[in-house]
Amino acid sequence: MASNMDREMILADFQACTGIENIDEAITLLEQNNWDLVAAINGVIPQENGILQSEYGGETIPGPAFNPASHPASAPTSSSSSAFRPVMPSRQIVERQPRMLDFRVEYRDRNVDVVLEDTCTVGEIKQILENELQIPVSKMLLKGWKTGDVEDSTVLKSLHLPKNNSLYVLTPDLPPPSSSSHAGALQESLNQNFMLIITHREVQREYNLNFSGSSTIQEVKRNVYDLTSIPVRHQLWEGWPTSATDDSMCLAESGLSYPCHRLTVGRRSSPAQTREQSEEQITDVHMVSDSDGDDFEDATEFGVDDGEVFGMASSALRKSPMMPENAENEGDALLQFTAEFSSRYGDCHPVFFIGSLEAAFQEAFYVKARDVHLLKSSSRLYTSSFNCRKLLAIYLHHDESVLTNVFCSQMLCAESIVSYLSQNFITWAWDLTKDSNRARFLTMCNRHFGSVVAQTIRTQKTDQFPLFLIIMGKRSSNEVLNVIQGNTTVDELMMRLMAAMEIFTAQQQEDIKDEDEREARENVKREQDEAYRLSLEADRAKREAHEREMAEQFRLEQIRKEQEEEREAIRLSLEQALPPEPKEENAEPVSKLRIRTPSGEFLERRFLASNKLQIVFDFVASKGFPWDEYKLLSTFPRRDVTQLDPNKSLLEVKLFPQETLFLEAKE
């Protein structure tokens, strides 16, 4: 058994002789041959004078294999020895198994993984790629080989490739993708969700936000304003693609990396802030907080002079109110509340809903219960989603309570609480520090929750604040599930939130069942209404078809009657215009004609031999056989009399003294 040092030398020699770079594969081959270097080399690269198969009986007749240890350069050779002299093998040689090679082939925006044995050819790889990429082999150039371009008939084993390989396909003869495919890709991107990992530079905090591809850059910046309290006009961004030049551009066409893209945002330095910093260096005046710089910047923008600004510096040390007194617009009041809360307790806090309490009700309650189920079954649940039914959490703040700072900093801003509230609650806040704001909230509370809840909040002492109200929307009213006071812990707060969620989930199941039953009833009613509508349409169509048919029959009957009346009028006029029939004994020659009708009847009449042939035609027409529909034929010789000149006399056309004719309908 070879020692570890010997095995390392054998492994190095084996790799040098065979060109196998994969150490695991080389060790496997050596172990199959009991770490016999010569046997392993012969198993991988058979020599011309190596293992030969006898043509008799299938015995193995090995030739002398190369063994540097047993054949020194100075050893004499026998003149009778032959390069193909049979010798008995010293040990059994294990036949080498084919290696499996992995190829990752890149073509435009696609990657294709191909796994083949090293006994296959390059052409077989192209055939697989033809099926995957729908590109003819004749149009395909397979590049990336370390040895340069290779032929399709080249065996992979002869290239001595590592196990993992990367190739790429070129198609110079094929046109680039059409614009329609680009439009299809853009439409697909609009339906995708982009995860934006946004780092707030000043506080070194990351926010993971999901946006649809149809969202605009402006919407992203407004959402970041809600999280960081940095106004859009003061935001300084890093990481946007160069193609994102317009805030109205949607994310799908801005060039963001899918599915994740990293961005960095910070507060833009203003000229006023720069001047403040220089004054600090000169006068060694230390500003208390970053909010002073913002105040100075805002003052400059609104035309406040330097004296007024420095007069504000002393008041900046005092705590700003969470909410303006006698706030008329609830949305503006909550914007100030969010900004002040962030400045006091940091950016990790619940996302407070900006808007009136009625609007918060709309967001939380007035959607279908089924939407909750669909959202939970989706893998794209994200914290900024407000499109499903949720619980409403109302945070009531009071600056004069001794519990406020502890509750806000240690419990309300805990990451677990923030995450749980963001996923399952709409959080709305109000400040009860000022009496006017307190009275306004009690009025809202009395209107939405009833006098009992309003009285409960009215009787709370200052040191029992802040309060957390958990509200669940029901069919006809809003129910207060829990009132959480400020003297609690993170674990207790989480437990009470989870307990409220259990009640909410059970209620949702009942609501889903009721909605399904109501929807089933509505579906049956819609189906019945649709069937009734289709039946009415079918009856109306049948009635209209019948009316059209009757109208058509009436029209045809009218035409037929008119035609008959016209024919009768013509017949009568012709009958009246005929000259009187001559008697048999007449001074002038008389021709007697006998005409056979198609029905077998005979028409007989006498005509003067001097009468024109047209009078015979008029006579036949007066009997209902107009000459434009019938032809008059003679028997011997057979001729079509209607083809003769109607102005000739009967004598001239040889219809004298008598003749038998017959009528035949024209084709």
Side-chain angles (χ1 to χ4, degrees):
M1 181 67 66
S3 63
N4 291 335
M5 185 63 68
D6 293 339
R7 289 190 176 185
E8 292 179 1
M9 295 178 63
I10 292 172
L11 177 61
D13 292 340
F14 179 72
Q15 287 184 296
C17 293
T18 60
I20 297 176
E21 300 177 357
N22 192 309
I23 296 178
D24 294 336
E25 182 182 2
I27 292 175
T28 301
L29 293 172
L30 287 170
E31 287 179 348
Q32 289 178 354
N33 292 276
N34 295 326
W35 289 89
D36 189 300
L37 177 62
V38 177
I41 293 174
N42 284 335
V44 176
I45 309 176
Q47 304 293 324
E48 294 181 356
N49 58 345
I51 302 172
L52 302 176
Q53 296 294 328
S54 172
E55 59 183 348
Y56 303 104
E59 292 183 1
T60 301
I61 306 177
F66 172 73
N67 189 344
S70 60
H71 295 278
S74 61
T77 59
S78 172
S79 60
S80 61
S81 64
S82 171
F84 296 93
R85 180 178 179 181
V87 295
M88 295 300 294
S90 59
R91 57 183 55 85
Q92 181 182 4
I93 297 177
V94 179
E95 184 177 356
R96 179 189 176 228
Q97 299 294 327
R99 295 172 60 211
M100 300 304 294
L101 301 178
D102 296 337
F103 296 90
R104 167 155 286 196
V105 184
E106 180 181 354
Y107 176 67
R108 290 179 179 169
D109 58 346
R110 290 190 58 187
N111 288 319
V112 179
D113 294 326
V114 180
V115 180
L116 288 174
E117 296 181 354
D118 60 357
T119 56
C120 299
T121 62
V122 175
E124 294 180 52
I125 298 180
K126 289 187 175 182
Q127 291 176 359
I128 295 175
L129 294 176
E130 181 180 17
N131 296 330
E132 292 289 335
L133 302 176
Q134 303 299 318
I135 300 173
V137 173
S138 59
K139 303 289 185 180
M140 187 188 307
L141 297 179
L142 193 57
K143 298 291 186 178
W145 304 103
K146 295 183 179 179
T147 57
D149 294 340
V150 297
E151 300 292 335
D152 289 356
S153 59
T154 304
V155 180
L156 300 177
K157 178 179 178 181
S158 63
L159 300 176
H160 304 295
L161 299 171
K163 181 173 179 57
N164 298 312
N165 303 270
S166 296
L167 304 174
Y168 59 93
V169 172
L170 297 179
T171 53
D173 297 335
L174 295 180
S178 61
S179 59
S180 61
S181 62
H182 174 71
L186 177 59
Q187 183 61 35
E188 183 179 355
S189 298
L190 289 173
N191 299 328
Q192 293 174 337
N193 278 352
F194 289 81
M195 169 69 78
L196 299 185
I197 305 175
I198 302 175
T199 302
H200 186 183
R201 187 186 302 110
E202 281 79 7
V203 299
Q204 291 300 310
R205 180 170 183 79
E206 284 189 354
Y207 301 95
N208 297 334
L209 304 179
N210 271 290
F211 293 92
S212 64
S214 57
S215 301
T216 62
I217 298 176
Q218 183 69 20
E219 293 175 8
V220 175
K221 292 183 177 181
R222 288 175 179 172
N223 278 283
V224 170
Y225 166 61
D226 294 338
L227 294 173
T228 63
S229 300
I230 303 177
V232 175
R233 59 191 174 87
H234 291 163
Q235 292 174 7
L236 183 63
W237 288 89
E238 294 178 2
W240 287 106
T242 55
S243 58
T245 57
D246 188 0
D247 284 359
S248 62
M249 182 182 296
C250 64
L251 300 183
E253 58 183 357
S254 64
L256 292 177
S257 301
Y258 179 79
C260 296
H261 191 90
R262 287 189 171 272
L263 298 169
T264 303
V265 65
R267 183 178 290 273
R268 188 189 305 276
S269 299
S270 65
Q273 288 175 320
T274 305
R275 187 172 62 182
E276 278 189 321
Q277 292 174 0
S278 62
E279 290 176 357
E280 287 177 359
Q281 295 175 358
I282 295 173
T283 61
D284 197 22
V285 177
H286 299 282
M287 307 304 290
V288 176
S289 66
D290 293 339
S291 61
D292 295 10
D294 294 340
D295 292 339
F296 189 85
E297 178 184 348
D298 296 338
T300 305
E301 292 180 359
F302 290 95
V304 181
D305 59 16
D306 293 346
E308 292 177 344
V309 172
F310 287 107
M312 295 176 187
S314 59
S315 63
L317 296 173
R318 297 191 299 270
K319 185 184 296 184
S320 300
M322 295 293 292
M323 189 172 288
E325 190 172 3
N326 294 319
E328 296 182 359
N329 186 288
E330 297 176 16
D332 294 340
L334 286 168
L335 281 175
Q336 177 174 331
F337 184 93
T338 302
E340 182 63 25
F341 195 96
S342 299
S343 65
R344 292 188 190 183
Y345 307 111
D347 294 320
C348 180
H349 60 74
V351 180
F352 297 114
F353 181 83
I354 306 300
S356 64
L357 184 57
E358 289 80 0
F361 287 155
Q362 292 285 343
E363 287 288 335
F365 304 147
Y366 299 140
V367 293
K368 288 186 176 181
R370 174 66 65 181
D371 293 344
V372 177
H373 175 72
L374 293 177
L375 187 67
K376 288 184 178 179
S377 63
S378 171
S379 60
R380 294 182 176 179
L381 176 65
Y382 50 92
T383 58
S384 62
S385 171
F386 292 125
N387 60 349
C388 64
R389 185 181 295 184
K390 295 184 177 182
L391 287 170
L392 176 63
I394 299 179
Y395 170 65
L396 299 179
H397 185 87
H398 203 300
D399 270 339
E400 296 178 2
S401 173
V402 295
L403 301 175
T404 297
N405 286 332
V406 176
F407 183 84
C408 291
S409 60
Q410 298 184 13
M411 279 158 278
L412 195 57
C413 293
E415 291 189 4
S416 58
I417 301 296
V418 171
S419 176
Y420 197 76
L421 287 174
S422 300
Q423 292 180 15
N424 302 291
F425 292 78
I426 298 293
T427 306
W428 190 83
W430 196 258
D431 182 21
L432 303 184
T433 306
K434 303 293 184 180
D435 291 339
S436 59
N437 294 336
R438 180 188 181 94
R440 180 169 181 174
F441 178 77
L442 290 175
T443 302
M444 291 187 289
C445 186
N446 190 54
R447 182 170 68 251
H448 293 293
F449 309 125
S451 58
V452 176
V453 177
Q455 182 63 25
T456 302
I457 297 174
R458 185 180 289 107
T459 57
Q460 295 288 322
K461 297 180 180 179
T462 300
D463 289 341
Q464 292 176 323
F465 284 91
L467 297 181
F468 221 53
L469 308 183
I470 309 300
I471 315 296
M472 181 176 69
K474 303 193 73 173
R475 297 178 182 86
S476 58
S477 62
N478 300 317
E479 179 181 353
V480 180
L481 295 181
N482 211 332
V483 178
I484 305 174
Q485 295 181 348
N487 55 347
T488 185
T489 62
V490 174
D491 293 339
E492 184 180 355
L493 177 60
M494 178 62 76
M495 288 178 58
R496 299 180 74 170
L497 293 177
M498 294 176 68
M501 271 303 300
E502 290 180 0
I503 299 174
F504 174 73
T505 303
Q507 181 63 42
Q508 296 316 299
Q509 296 303 319
E510 296 182 6
D511 292 345
I512 289 173
K513 182 179 178 181
D514 293 343
E515 286 181 358
D516 290 343
E517 293 176 354
R518 183 170 60 255
E519 187 173 355
R521 292 193 299 270
E522 292 176 353
N523 286 336
V524 171
K525 185 177 182 301
R526 281 195 297 267
E527 291 174 358
Q528 292 174 346
D529 293 343
E530 181 67 14
Y532 180 68
R533 184 185 65 81
L534 294 176
S535 176
L536 289 178
E537 289 184 355
D539 292 342
R540 184 174 64 253
K542 186 176 180 180
R543 184 174 62 256
E544 291 175 353
H546 179 69
E547 291 175 354
R548 286 195 300 270
E549 183 179 357
M550 295 299 293
E552 182 67 16
Q553 290 179 359
F554 179 77
R555 186 182 68 83
L556 295 176
E557 184 66 21
Q558 288 295 111
I559 293 175
R560 186 184 63 79
K561 288 182 179 180
E562 291 175 359
Q563 290 176 348
E564 287 182 355
E565 292 174 356
E566 184 179 359
R567 287 166 65 94
E568 183 64 18
I570 294 174
R571 188 189 68 78
L572 291 175
S573 65
L574 291 174
E575 188 176 22
Q576 294 174 0
L578 288 174
E581 183 178 4
K583 298 180 180 180
E584 291 184 3
E585 297 177 357
N586 198 320
E588 294 185 22
V590 175
S591 177
K592 185 177 182 180
L593 298 181
R594 192 167 183 261
I595 304 170
R596 186 177 184 273
T597 65
S599 63
E601 299 178 357
F602 286 92
L603 304 175
E604 294 183 0
R605 194 181 191 278
R606 292 182 298 274
F607 299 90
L608 294 175
S610 60
N611 288 147
K612 295 181 179 180
L613 184 59
Q614 181 65 47
I615 295 176
V616 178
F617 294 158
D618 293 343
F619 168 73
V620 174
S622 68
K623 299 301 181 181
F625 303 99
W627 71 298
D628 57 343
E629 297 180 11
Y630 293 88
K631 53 187 177 179
L632 196 59
L633 305 175
S634 63
T635 54
F636 300 104
R638 182 179 176 87
R639 58 178 177 166
D640 187 356
V641 179
T642 54
Q643 298 296 325
L644 301 177
D645 187 359
N647 293 319
K648 289 184 177 182
S649 65
L650 298 180
L651 184 62
E652 289 175 339
V653 297
K654 299 179 181 181
L655 295 178
F656 177 81
Q658 63 182 7
E659 187 71 33
T660 299
L661 305 173
F662 63 92
L663 288 168
E664 184 180 292
K666 291 183 178 180
E667 295 180 355

